[in-house]
């Protein structure tokens, strides 16, 4: 799962901006947790697209998980933001609308969700530091497998360029409430994916991502998602 709001601080400028990239991640999780995650994907390909306009911005990403049998799953998040309050040149408050969903070869469809809330997007003077903080109502949609219910989500996104833009430290964190499928009780989930990139030029980067999660990953050994995991990757990225 990725959600690095590319140039998210451009929202505060009112200028049109478009950015997109393609990432390829080799995942070490199935080697580190050979019992719990033996079915984890070997590779994840991610495409991100961001476009700012006079009203706000569009953003979406698509994650494609690949294992030794081929395509294992696909997940997407699509969001729209509308700027409505800009108290300073370096920040803006926006209304945030989002849809999350996907498919898995083994589990069928992921539970779909719609989110609505507010986002504060900010940056420094040269846009080398950017951030976004979102507080949202989250509606989990029901289907043949999942119950519909109301929830919430808090999301933070950051980006930092340094060493004359040769290095980029970016990432996000999500905290949300979800029903544990094996008990039906609510529990908090945490997911963060910090990335560190070395930028060879404006287009090509190499680096790593570390997925940090709690109560998020389904364990093949226990049949539950109630543990903390650290899943690193080696990655390549191309900025269009």
């Amino acid at each position: 799962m990725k959600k690095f709001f590319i140039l998210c601080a451009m929202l505060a400028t009112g200028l049109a901006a478009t950015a997109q990239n393609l990432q390829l991640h080799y995942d070490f999780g199935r080697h580190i947790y050979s019992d719990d995650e033996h079915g984890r994907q070997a590779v994840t390909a991610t495409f991100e697209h961001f476009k700012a306009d006079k009203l706000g911005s569009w953003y979406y990403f698509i994650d494609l998980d690949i294992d030794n049998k081929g395509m294992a799953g696909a997940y997407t998040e699509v969001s729209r933001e509308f700027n409505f309050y800009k108290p300073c040149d370096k920040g803006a408050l926006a209304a945030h609308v989002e849809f999350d969903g996907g498919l898995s070869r083994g589990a069928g469809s992921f539970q779909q969700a719609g989110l609505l809330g507010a986002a504060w997007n900010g940056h420094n003077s040269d846009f080398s530091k950017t951030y976004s903080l979102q507080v949202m109502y989250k509606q989990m949609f029901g289907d043949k497998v999942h119950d519909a219910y109301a929830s919430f989500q808090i999301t933070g996104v950051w980006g930092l360029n340094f060493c004359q833009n040769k290095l980029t430290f970016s990432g996000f964190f999500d905290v949300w409430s979800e029903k544990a499928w094996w008990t039906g009780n609510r529990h908090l989930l945490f997911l963060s994916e910090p990335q560190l990139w070395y930028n060879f030029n404006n287009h090509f980067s190499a680096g790593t991502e570390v997925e940090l999660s709690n109560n998020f990953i389904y364990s093949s050994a226990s049949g539950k998602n109630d543990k903390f995991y650290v899943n690193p990757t080696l990655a390549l990225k191309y900025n269009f």
Side-chain angles (χ1 to χ4, degrees), residues 24-223:
L24 193 64
H25 293 261
Y26 180 82
D27 198 300
F28 293 96
R30 70 193 189 286
H31 302 299
I32 299 173
Y33 305 100
S34 56
D35 292 332
D36 286 352
E37 295 192 277
H38 67 263
R40 186 177 176 86
Q41 71 275 5
V43 174
T44 297
T46 299
F47 179 76
E48 288 187 297
H49 181 86
F50 172 91
K51 180 175 176 56
D53 52 43
K54 293 181 179 180
L55 297 178
S57 70
W58 282 100
Y59 171 81
Y60 71 86
F61 75 84
I62 301 171
D63 273 352
L64 301 176
D65 292 333
I66 304 166
D67 60 19
N68 57 6
K69 296 180 181 179
M71 191 67 65
Y75 178 80
T76 187
E77 294 185 6
V78 182
S79 65
R80 172 71 199 187
E81 290 195 349
F82 298 94
N83 296 333
F84 64 86
Y85 180 57
K86 185 181 177 183
C88 61
D89 291 336
K90 298 179 182 179
L93 191 63
H96 183 99
V97 182
E98 183 178 324
F99 171 80
D100 303 345
L103 298 171
S104 171
R105 184 178 60 213
S109 64
F110 297 118
Q111 186 163 19
Q112 321 295 303
L115 298 92
L116 176 64
W120 174 259
N121 302 306
H123 61 90
N124 64 351
S125 58
D126 63 358
F127 290 90
S128 61
K129 299 177 182 178
T130 63
Y131 65 89
S132 176
L133 180 63
Q134 303 148 24
V135 179
M136 296 169 287
Y137 167 83
K138 186 173 188 177
Q139 178 62 46
M140 310 296 287
F141 300 134
D143 55 31
K144 293 181 180 180
V145 178
H146 306 100
D147 294 330
Y149 57 92
S151 184
F152 73 92
Q153 181 169 305
I154 299 172
T155 293
V157 187
W158 72 88
L160 173 63
N161 291 330
F162 55 102
C163 292
Q164 298 181 332
N165 292 326
K166 285 296 183 181
L167 293 175
T168 299
F169 177 57
S170 59
F172 77 91
F173 71 84
D174 286 335
V175 177
W176 74 101
S177 174
E178 194 170 291
K179 288 184 178 180
W181 66 267
W182 64 93
T183 63
N185 297 326
R186 293 290 189 102
H187 64 166
L188 283 177
L189 289 82
F190 171 81
L191 176 67
S192 181
E193 293 181 356
Q195 294 184 339
L196 181 64
W197 298 99
Y198 179 80
N199 304 310
F200 295 96
N201 50 48
N202 291 334
H203 295 288
F204 183 68
S205 305
T208 183
E209 172 186 288
V210 181
E211 181 188 88
L212 308 171
S213 67
N214 191 54
N215 296 337
F216 175 69
I217 294 175
Y218 174 82
S219 167
S220 302
S222 68

